[in-house]
Amino acid sequence: MISVIIERNEYLDEIILEKKEDLHHLLHVFRLEIGDKVRAVDGDYEYICEIQKIIENKVHLQILEKREDAFSLSVDIDAAICLIKNDKMDFCIQKLTELGIRSIIPTVAKRCVVKLKEKKEKWNTIVKETMKQCQGVKPTQIQEVTDLKKLPLEDYDLILLPYECEEEHSLKYVLQNRVEKPRKVLYVIGPEGGFEKEEIQYLASKRAEVVSLGKRILRAETAAIVVGGILVHEFG
């Protein structure tokens, strides 16, 4: 079923679509007609709808059923990803949205060599387009670009820091030895040049669990997606 993303729905039985991209998506790409079913999500609920009428560049959807969000995770998982090349950052955002990561914080560390060319609006567009395909209800939030030392670390019950030089504790070990299930998890992925030792020490002093992802060295975008997938499996 084709999905559209709408603002918070205030209507009891009807949704009216007016945005050009939604109309193009429904009427010209998928060639839907009156009577066809459409799925709408507003960040809180999903609505199973039927196209009731198409008038003056507006599509009127009749709400057939309102459903609770059954697709979001039971634990809030956020990813602080140090800025990487634009196409790789786009790829991360797409895949983490598919996984259901709650929030992505583009982060600046000392070894970041990327100059920020992409705008937040483009990343939000990637999230929106991905949401149409992955059946999510709550879109992944793209936060403002943040310096590593200004991350809101105090907001999290569990902070994970994958680091290629860590040899003692694996991610698996840390997750298996947790006493209580966390409510909010943050994982921090370093830049393509890696973290400086001082940055690792800083994060560790703020309760970050430094972990290994195995013997192989992963690219930043690979690590971001792998850790996200493991956490979704663990806490989803």
Side-chain angles (χ1 to χ4, degrees):
M1 189 182 303
I2 306 303
S3 295
V4 294
I5 299 174
I6 61 174
E7 302 297 329
R8 293 291 190 273
N9 186 47
E10 299 177 354
Y11 302 98
L12 296 177
D13 58 2
E14 184 183 48
I15 295 169
I16 300 175
L17 302 179
E18 302 181 68
K19 294 181 180 178
K20 290 182 179 180
E21 59 266 31
D22 289 333
L23 300 181
H24 176 76
H25 184 67
L26 295 180
L27 304 180
H28 300 292
V29 177
F30 290 97
R31 299 185 182 280
L32 299 187
E33 300 176 346
I34 292 173
D36 287 334
K37 299 293 192 300
V38 175
R39 175 181 179 268
V41 298
D42 67 359
D44 291 321
Y45 301 95
E46 65 170 334
Y47 305 86
I48 306 304
C49 309
E50 180 178 291
I51 297 178
Q52 202 67 19
K53 54 186 176 180
I54 304 170
I55 302 176
E56 296 179 352
N57 294 322
K58 295 182 182 180
V59 173
H60 295 250
L61 303 178
Q62 180 184 4
I63 299 174
L64 304 178
E65 184 180 358
K66 178 181 177 180
R67 298 177 179 175
E68 296 288 336
D69 177 8
F71 298 91
S72 296
L73 304 174
S74 60
V75 171
D76 291 336
I77 302 174
D78 296 349
I81 303 176
C82 290
L83 293 173
I84 52 179
K85 291 178 182 178
N86 292 326
D87 57 339
K88 295 178 181 179
M89 196 74 178
D90 294 351
F91 184 73
C92 275
I93 289 169
Q94 181 190 63
K95 298 309 173 187
L96 296 184
T97 299
E98 288 182 28
L99 288 171
I101 299 303
R102 185 188 73 150
S103 177
I104 296 172
I105 310 172
T107 303
V108 178
K110 289 185 178 179
R111 293 182 183 172
C112 284
V113 295
V114 174
K115 293 182 179 180
L116 188 62
K117 295 180 180 179
E118 302 296 347
K119 295 182 179 180
K120 184 179 175 182
E121 288 78 9
K122 181 182 179 182
W123 292 336
N124 285 330
T125 298
I126 292 172
V127 169
K128 183 177 179 180
E129 293 303 314
T130 304
M131 287 287 293
K132 292 177 181 179
Q133 301 173 6
C134 72
Q135 298 296 300
V137 171
K138 289 183 172 65
T140 297
Q141 299 298 312
I142 308 298
Q143 304 298 333
E144 299 297 332
V145 176
T146 303
D147 185 87
L148 181 71
K149 292 190 176 181
K150 293 184 179 180
L151 291 173
L153 303 176
E154 66 280 359
D155 294 346
Y156 297 92
D157 307 309
L158 175 61
I159 304 166
L160 297 167
L161 176 60
Y163 183 45
E164 65 271 14
C165 295
E166 174 60 30
E167 297 179 352
E168 184 175 353
H169 293 128
S170 67
L171 176 58
K172 179 179 179 181
Y173 173 85
V174 170
L175 293 178
Q176 289 183 341
N177 285 275
R178 290 286 299 175
V179 176
E180 297 180 356
K181 183 178 179 179
R183 294 175 295 105
K184 295 183 68 176
V185 179
L186 175 72
Y187 68 96
V188 186
I189 299 296
E192 291 161 308
F195 283 119
E196 291 195 351
K197 188 173 181 180
E198 182 269 334
E199 291 172 322
I200 295 294
Q201 292 171 342
Y202 167 77
L203 292 169
S205 73
K206 299 296 184 179
R207 300 180 298 110
E209 301 266 10
V210 183
V211 298
S212 167
L213 299 181
K215 295 181 179 180
R216 298 196 177 196
I217 304 298
L218 303 181
R219 292 179 180 271
E221 68 272 20
T222 305
I225 296 166
V226 166
V227 175
I230 291 172
L231 295 178
V232 168
H233 180 268
E234 181 75 16
F235 300 122

